[in-house]
Amino acid sequence: MMPAYTYRPDPQGVAEALSERIIRLYDDASSYPFSIALSGGSTPKVLFDHWREHPEVLQGRDIHFWWVDERMVPVESKDSNFGNALRAVFAPIGYDPDRLHPIAYVEGQSIDEAVAKYNAEVEAFRKKYAKSEPFDIVILGVGEDGHTSSLFPGQALFDIDEDFLRSVHPLNGIERVALSYEGIRRAPKCIFHVTGTAKTDRLAEVISLATGKASDTETRRLPAAYAMRMAHKTEIFTDIKLPTTKKKGLSSHLLSGILNPSLLWLSVLPILLSQEGGNGLWGLSPHLCSGGLLILFAIIQSLFRINYRSLYAHLPLLLLIPFHKVILVRIMDGMMDIPQGYSTPVLFGLMIVASLWGISSVRTCELSKHPTCRELLFSNRLMGSLAVLYLLAYILFPAYPWMESILPAVLIVAVWGIHALRILRRAERRAHSATIPAGIDCRQEVRVAIIRGQEVWLTSHPDTDRQDTQNYDLPFSTFIKNGEDRQTAVDRLKKRLPKGLKPKFLLRYNSDDNDGGHVVYLYVINLGTECPVPEVSVGGEFWCSRKINDEMNSGMLSPVFKEEYQYLKHTILLANSIVSKRKCEA
Ligand code: 6PG
C-alpha cells in the first residue's frame, strides 16, 4: 500500500511538517517516555536546524532519542551521526543527556561488542518502561544507492532477529551498527525523510518496488524498498514530487519509444531496402523514411504506454518478417550463396529447440527472480513469437519467394541464443555478486564452540550440514532451514551435544566464505579449566591457542573456523584468560 506522502516544496517546509507530525504522534501516544530513532547522513541537518531554532518542539516533552545507525568513529568526527545531532541541536538547546542514547564508539571495542551493547541497552529500556517496542517512531533516510539505515544493496543482512546488527560501508569500509530490517518491521511507525531532487528517480523506484508486485527477493535488491515493504504504517516526508505527478512531455515519449530495439531495426529498413540507390518506401528519401518510421512507432507505443519490454512493442518488427530475406540477400549478396531449399524437419527442429531453450531459461528466471531475467523473458517471448510466426508463414504461404532460404530462421535463433546466453550469464553474475544466491534466501548457520580456558574443541569429523568437512572444525553446526527460527535450529543441535552442556549465544557475524556470504550465530559452551574432557560424539580433542596459531596456514583448519577464531580470541578466550590471571593473582 502506498505510504502516506507529505510533500513540501523545500527541505525547511518538510522539516516543519515532520516536526508537527512528531508532535501529533507524541500527543496521541498511549504511554511515555516516547522514543524516536534518528538516522544520520545530511538529510536530518535541516530538521536539527529547525529544532534548534524552535526548541519548544522538544522541550517539555518526554522524548528519548536513539540512533538508527552509527559509524564506528569518535563522537568528535564529522562522520558521527550522534556527534552531528549533538552539535546541531541537543547541545545548543541543553537537551537532557539522559534522554540521549548514542551508539557508543569505544576505541579498541569490536563492532560485535558495540552491537551487543546497544541491543542490550535498547532491550533494557523497553523492559524498564514496559514498552511493546523500544521505538515509537523510526525515522529513515534513503541513500542515492537505495540504502537505508546502514543496510546497503548486496548485503545479506536479512532475517536477522536482533534490533541492531553489524554492517560496513561498501566503499570506505567503515564498520557500522545498524537497525535491522526486523527492527524496522517491529517499529509501530516508520517515517522516510527524503529530500533533494537528486533522489527523485530513486524514491520513485523505492516506492514502486516496495508497493508493487515484485517478490520479496526482488525487493531486497533495494534496502530502502524492502524496509518500506516490511515496515508498519510508513509515511514519507519529502520535497520530491513523484514522476507520476509530472505529465510526460512528447520528448520523453519519443525517448522511451526509441529505446525499443525493434524500432531501430525498423528504422534501418528503408535504408536497406533502397540499396539499389533508388528511393526508399513510397518514393521518399530512405533517411527521411527511416526517421519518419522511428518517430511514428515511438509515439504510438509510448502514447499507448507500451513498455518496450512487452511483446506488443515489437509487433511492427514481426509484421516485417517478409522483408528479412530481402534484407539478408542484400546484406549477404556475394558474401555467401543462400542455400536453395531446405527441409521442413530442419526448420521445425530449430523451432522446437528454440522454444525448449526459451522455456528452460524462463524457468531459471522464475527461480531466481533476478531483474535481468525480465530481459531474458522479454527476449524469449520475442524470439519465440518470431520463430512461431515464421513457421506459420512458411506453412501458409509456401510458394513465397522469400521462403527459399532457411537463413532468416537460423539467424533469428542464433541472435536470440546469443542474447539469451549474455543475459543468463549477467543474471548469474549479479546473483553471485549480490551475495544472496539466486533463488534462495541468505543462509544462516548456527555453530557451537566447546571452550575450556584457552582451548577450543576441534574435530576432523564435525556433525554439520556443510560439505567442506575435510578440515578440522568445531564439532557441531547446522544451517537454519527456510521457515525455521534460530532457536529451533539450536534445539536440534542440543540433542547432539554431550549430556548436560548448554550452549550460550556469543555473537553473530557475516561469514564471507566462498558461498557468497552468510550469517553465522556462534554459540559457546564455556567449561572451567578443571572440567573433565567431555564425551563428544564426533571425536576430536581440545586444541590450545598455540597449536591453532601454528596450524592457521597449514590448510588443516576449516576456512570458516579460521575466520571465527579471530572472534573467539577477542571475546570468550580473552575473557577466560583475564579470569584465570585474576585467579592466579588471588
Ligand atoms: C548514515 C545514515 C544513512 C542515511 C542515508 C541518507 O549513517 O549514513 O543513517 O542511512 O539515512 O544514507 O543519507 P543522506 O541524508 O546523506 O542522503
Side-chain angles (χ1 to χ4, degrees):
M1 191 182 64
M2 176 71 183
Y5 196 91
T6 303
Y7 164 77
R8 292 290 183 277
D10 54 51
Q12 289 69 20
V14 175
E16 268 169 55
L18 178 51
S19 301
E20 286 157 15
R21 183 67 179 131
I22 287 172
I23 291 169
R24 278 203 309 280
L25 289 166
Y26 177 87
D27 293 344
D28 295 348
S30 55
S31 69
Y32 297 95
F34 195 75
S35 64
I36 300 176
L38 297 169
S39 272
S42 56
T43 303
K45 193 176 168 328
V46 178
L47 181 66
F48 297 158
D49 292 347
H50 178 73
W51 288 351
R52 189 183 58 251
E53 287 145 24
H54 303 83
E56 69 281 6
V57 171
L58 302 182
Q59 273 158 353
R61 289 189 166 90
D62 188 5
I63 302 179
H64 285 242
F65 286 99
W66 301 79
W67 269 262
V68 162
D69 58 350
E70 184 59 276
R71 302 87 180 270
M72 288 294 101
V73 293
V75 67
E76 305 75 30
S77 160
K78 65 175 178 29
D79 289 333
S80 165
N81 290 337
F82 170 65
N84 290 335
L86 185 67
R87 288 183 284 271
V89 57
F90 296 118
I93 68 170
Y95 199 75
D96 175 3
D98 291 341
R99 288 189 168 86
L100 299 178
H101 305 270
I103 301 173
Y105 167 79
V106 178
E107 189 70 35
Q109 170 185 266
S110 76
I111 181 72
D112 289 297
E113 284 168 298
V115 166
K117 275 185 188 163
Y118 207 56
N119 276 320
E121 184 179 352
V122 164
E123 180 57 13
F125 175 83
R126 188 189 66 76
K127 280 196 178 130
K128 178 178 177 186
Y129 294 107
K131 292 175 83 77
S132 58
E133 292 306 330
F135 309 132
D136 295 286
I137 305 179
V138 166
I139 299 180
L140 293 173
V142 174
E144 296 203 16
D145 61 354
H147 82 264
T148 190
S149 173
S150 284
L151 305 166
F152 294 94
Q155 287 180 321
L157 296 174
F158 304 103
D159 309 325
I160 293 176
D161 202 39
E162 278 79 16
D163 285 316
F164 287 83
L165 47 72
R166 162 185 180 270
S167 178
V168 62
H169 192 284
L171 299 179
N172 60 29
I174 292 182
E175 290 185 313
R176 298 179 166 209
V177 176
L179 182 61
S180 66
Y181 291 104
E182 285 304 306
I184 292 169
R185 186 182 59 76
R186 287 193 281 262
K189 171 66 75 181
C190 194
I191 293 181
F192 285 84
H193 180 202
V194 191
T195 56
T197 48
K199 295 184 182 176
T200 299
D201 292 344
R202 184 60 81 192
L203 180 60
E205 185 185 13
V206 163
I207 293 172
S208 74
L209 203 51
T211 58
K213 296 198 184 70
S215 67
D216 279 359
T217 309
E218 196 168 353
T219 311
R220 287 180 165 183
R221 68 183 174 84
L222 272 190
Y226 190 59
M228 191 178 283
R229 176 175 286 194
M230 294 274 280
H232 289 292
K233 298 200 188 98
T234 45
E235 296 190 28
I236 296 173
F237 281 75
T238 181
D239 61 354
I240 294 170
K241 264 197 168 176
L242 276 182
T244 43
T245 54
K246 269 189 310 199
K247 277 270 154 276
K248 272 177 89 172
L250 186 58
S251 57
S252 53
H253 277 312
L254 263 183
L255 184 66
S256 65
I258 289 169
L259 278 178
N260 172 352
S262 291
L263 279 176
L264 300 179
W265 280 40
L266 286 177
S267 61
V268 167
L269 264 181
I271 298 170
L272 291 171
L273 291 177
S274 63
Q275 273 213 331
E276 283 96 20
N279 276 333
L281 292 177
W282 309 299
L284 294 171
S285 92
H287 298 91
L288 189 66
C289 188
S290 287
L293 263 179
L294 195 59
I295 289 172
L296 174 70
F297 281 114
I299 293 174
I300 292 172
Q301 77 169 359
S302 50
L303 285 181
F304 290 100
R305 294 256 183 288
I306 299 177
N307 176 326
Y308 82 87
R309 287 180 192 283
S310 74
L311 184 58
Y312 305 108
H314 301 279
L315 279 178
L317 178 71
L318 303 180
L319 301 178
L320 288 156
I321 285 182
F323 291 95
H324 281 158
K325 171 148 182 301
V326 175
I327 294 172
L328 292 166
V329 168
R330 294 189 171 167
I331 295 173
M332 316 284 275
D333 204 10
M335 287 161 70
M336 63 186 285
D337 285 338
I338 303 267
Q340 291 306 324
Y342 54 88
S343 64
T344 317
V346 171
L347 176 71
F348 208 64
L350 267 174
M351 301 302 169
I352 299 295
V353 166
S355 314
L356 287 177
W357 185 336
I359 293 163
S360 68
S361 48
V362 165
R363 190 82 201 95
T364 316
C365 279
E366 287 310 321
L367 279 177
S368 69
K369 292 263 180 303
H370 230 279
T372 27
C373 279
R374 269 207 307 271
E375 288 174 48
L376 188 58
L377 291 179
F378 137 69
S379 70
N380 277 296
R381 288 186 188 127
L382 173 63
M383 293 304 172
S385 48
L386 267 176
V388 170
L389 269 164
Y390 196 89
L391 187 62
L392 282 177
Y394 160 70
I395 292 166
L396 296 174
F397 314 105
Y400 255 57
W402 44 271
M403 286 302 286
E404 286 159 14
S405 143
I406 192 172
L407 204 54
V410 171
L411 271 183
I412 288 171
V413 175
V415 164
W416 165 66
I418 293 163
H419 186 47
L421 267 178
R422 191 173 59 81
I423 287 180
L424 264 181
R425 212 166 292 129
R426 190 149 29 111
E428 279 152 18
R429 263 203 313 276
R430 275 202 195 173
H432 188 73
S433 64
T435 72
I436 303 171
I440 55 171
D441 282 344
C442 89
R443 286 180 323 161
Q444 301 178 71
E445 185 179 15
V446 174
R447 292 169 57 83
V448 178
I450 303 177
I451 307 285
R452 185 179 66 178
Q454 296 297 296
E455 299 175 314
V456 184
W457 186 278
L458 293 177
T459 175
S460 56
H461 306 290
D463 180 347
T464 174
D465 306 333
R466 287 175 158 272
Q467 309 307 320
D468 55 354
T469 57
Q470 70 279 14
N471 307 79
Y472 279 83
D473 195 359
L474 296 184
F476 301 105
S477 67
T478 183
F479 285 120
I480 300 178
K481 295 184 172 49
N482 276 343
E484 180 184 53
D485 65 31
R486 182 165 29 118
Q487 193 49 49
T488 311
V490 175
D491 293 342
R492 263 191 299 115
L493 273 185
K494 273 182 189 164
K495 295 185 186 113
R496 309 175 196 167
L497 296 177
K499 281 264 168 297
L501 298 184
K502 285 196 179 7
K504 284 207 176 68
F505 176 69
L506 175 68
L507 55 86
R508 179 203 53 71
Y509 69 89
N510 279 9
S511 161
D512 300 328
D513 64 12
N514 53 8
D515 290 9
H518 70 289
V519 173
V520 175
Y521 295 96
L522 182 58
Y523 284 72
V524 287
I525 297 169
N526 195 12
L527 305 174
T529 44
E530 291 71 41
C531 276
V533 175
E535 284 292 309
V536 180
S537 58
V538 291
E541 59 187 357
F542 277 118
W543 285 42
C544 65
S545 42
R546 186 182 46 70
K547 184 176 178 186
I548 292 171
N549 290 323
D550 289 349
E551 300 300 346
M552 202 44 92
N553 300 316
S554 68
M556 278 182 76
L557 301 173
S558 82
V560 66
F561 173 72
K562 283 165 55 175
E563 177 187 5
E564 190 169 68
Y565 184 62
Q566 307 313 319
Y567 293 113
L568 287 170
K569 246 183 357 185
H570 294 106
T571 50
I572 191 81
L573 297 179
L574 176 65
N576 284 351
S577 71
I578 292 167
V579 167
S580 60
K581 262 198 207 100
R582 285 203 187 134
K583 276 190 181 157
C584 297
E585 285 153 11

